[in-house]
Amino acid sequence: MKALVKTKPGVGLELIDIPQPVTGPNDVKVKVLRTGICGTDVHIQNWDGWAQKTVATPRVIGHEFVGEIVEVGELVTGLHVGQIVSGEGHYVCGRCRACLAGRREVCANTLGIGYAVDGAMCEYFTFPATNAWVHPQDIDLDVAAIFDPFGNAVHTALQFPCLAEDVLVTGAGPIGIMAALVAQFQGARHVVLSDISEERLALARNLGIKHTVNVAKHDLSSVYEQLNMKEGFDVGLEISGAAPAIRSMIDHMVHGGRIAMLGTPVQDVELDLSKIIFHMLTLQGVTGRRIFETWYAASALVSSGLDISGVITHRFPYTEFAQAFQVAADGKSGKVVMHWD
């Protein structure tokens, strides 16, 4: 079968033939239909400092996917051939304190697919049945392929109640846009999305985000009078991982404000801790998704009318992976999906 592989250290990926995976007694095998390109995949393609420290080669990459079950292990119950599924991208140990307490999302021994273990950018993918999420048969396959990053957005946006609150979202990449959409869907009074990419801010406006700020041109406080805000934002959703955005968010929070932090900085960030202390701010780190409560919430949001399909701006056959990765890395696009069928 064809698979997209980081075959050796260095920049680049290769589309090569590898054997089909064997389905273990507790596994399911899927024919992969769609995969989304994540920032993690771009890091691996570029072989940056994070990838060099984290990824052993050779490694099949990719953790955003949807496929059709073609085989189930002999001990698997509740799943059958023909179902459309995605997969939770973290393999957990099942034995640490968090796992035994049913809090698998904070497992101390998590292995991420596509970088710690082989991933799903291949024609057939086998993974533990306990990681499978079954979609409705009529789901848009492109949307199903991005339920992993959509789950990141949902998990972040649901950290704190947004009803009637003023919400600041920093970072207008696909996850930031989806987080802003979820905050609006929750009934936030105002949602403001900030970034330095005019292309991505324009995409956000086209998808229904009413208030955007290009912070390369305007200060965030410029929206206060327009939105009848007095003291700052009640809830912050930090998606960018950029040091200036993090510091600016802290500066623009109301006293007692709450910040959910998903964006991962690529370098050390200096913060004025006195502002956090004396402004009585709450900073909540967020990663991944709650297993599987966030998946349920994401499915419920889509079935209730939240449309995230417009976040997908580019689609490529997997054979054109080089162009797909180039678009995904340019900082101007929305989500990029590759078709494997």
Side-chain angles (χ1 to χ4, degrees):
M1 70 173 185
K2 295 294 184 183
L4 196 55
V5 183
K6 170 65 74 171
T7 57
K8 59 184 181 296
V11 176
L13 298 167
E14 294 183 56
L15 186 65
I16 62 174
D17 286 303
I18 64 172
Q20 279 198 31
V22 175
T23 306
N26 294 299
D27 296 338
V28 294
K29 178 188 285 188
V30 298
K31 175 178 173 53
V32 176
L33 302 174
R34 308 282 192 274
T35 56
I37 298 178
C38 176
T40 301
D41 303 317
V42 175
H43 288 309
I44 297 172
Q45 195 273 343
N46 291 337
W47 201 240
D48 63 12
W50 173 86
Q52 293 174 36
K53 293 186 295 183
T54 307
V55 181
T57 59
R59 177 69 68 221
V60 181
I61 70 165
H63 58 273
E64 302 177 5
F65 72 95
V66 64
E68 179 182 353
I69 295 178
V70 294
E71 187 177 353
V72 296
E74 60 187 25
L75 299 181
V76 174
T77 59
L79 296 171
H80 59 78
V81 171
Q83 287 179 303
I84 301 298
V85 298
S86 292
E88 168 56 45
H90 295 99
Y91 295 163
V92 300
C93 72
R95 295 303 306 167
C96 70
R97 176 182 174 185
C99 283
L100 291 173
R103 301 169 62 233
R104 292 183 287 170
E105 68 275 4
V106 289
C107 171
N109 304 301
T110 295
L111 296 175
I113 70 170
Y115 61 92
V117 296
D118 282 338
M121 285 192 181
C122 50
E123 292 184 281
Y124 292 91
F125 179 53
T126 297
F127 63 104
T130 52
N131 280 60
W133 176 261
V134 180
H135 292 289
Q137 288 292 117
D138 61 350
I139 193 169
D140 181 317
L141 292 176
D142 289 352
V143 169
I146 64 168
F147 252 60
D148 178 295
F150 180 44
N152 294 149
V154 172
H155 189 28
T156 306
L158 297 185
Q159 288 296 310
F160 306 111
C162 291
L163 179 64
E165 302 282 44
D166 294 326
V167 179
L168 172 63
V169 184
T170 47
I175 293 177
I177 292 174
M178 290 189 288
L181 290 171
V182 174
Q184 282 192 171
F185 202 78
Q186 286 188 75
R189 185 176 79 138
H190 299 301
V191 176
V192 176
L193 178 60
S194 70
D195 203 287
I196 59 174
S197 168
E198 194 54 51
E199 292 86 355
R200 283 182 160 173
L201 292 173
L203 173 62
R205 290 191 294 271
N206 289 338
L207 295 179
I209 303 302
K210 298 176 182 177
H211 307 292
T212 63
V213 178
N214 186 330
V215 290
K217 301 177 180 179
H218 306 284
D219 189 87
L220 277 171
S221 58
S222 63
V223 301
Y224 282 27
E225 184 175 354
Q226 175 189 352
L227 301 182
N228 193 30
M229 291 173 53
K230 304 294 184 184
E231 301 177 16
F233 293 92
D234 305 294
V235 174
L237 308 178
E238 207 302 295
I239 314 294
S240 72
I246 296 169
R247 288 191 287 264
S248 178
M249 174 172 278
I250 290 171
D251 288 341
H252 289 90
M253 297 302 295
V254 70
H255 283 214
R258 296 146 294 162
I259 299 175
M261 305 186 70
L262 178 75
T264 303
V266 295
Q267 58 189 15
D268 291 342
V269 177
E270 289 189 9
L271 297 179
D272 183 350
L273 292 181
S274 66
K275 291 181 180 179
I276 298 170
I277 294 166
F278 288 105
H279 294 185
M280 297 163 286
L281 302 180
T282 297
L283 273 62
Q284 174 65 55
V286 183
T287 188
R289 296 146 300 279
R290 292 180 64 195
I291 308 171
F292 273 93
E293 186 62 23
T294 301
W295 289 84
Y296 178 87
S299 293
L301 286 165
V302 169
S303 66
S304 298
L306 180 60
D307 184 5
I308 62 168
S309 60
V311 173
I312 304 167
T313 57
H314 294 77
R315 297 163 175 83
F316 295 91
Y318 73 89
T319 52
E320 298 178 11
F321 71 90
Q323 185 179 355
F325 270 75
Q326 184 177 5
V327 171
D330 69 7
K332 298 178 181 179
S333 69
K335 201 68 187 171
V336 178
V337 170
M338 295 195 298
H339 289 208
W340 290 78
D341 54 353

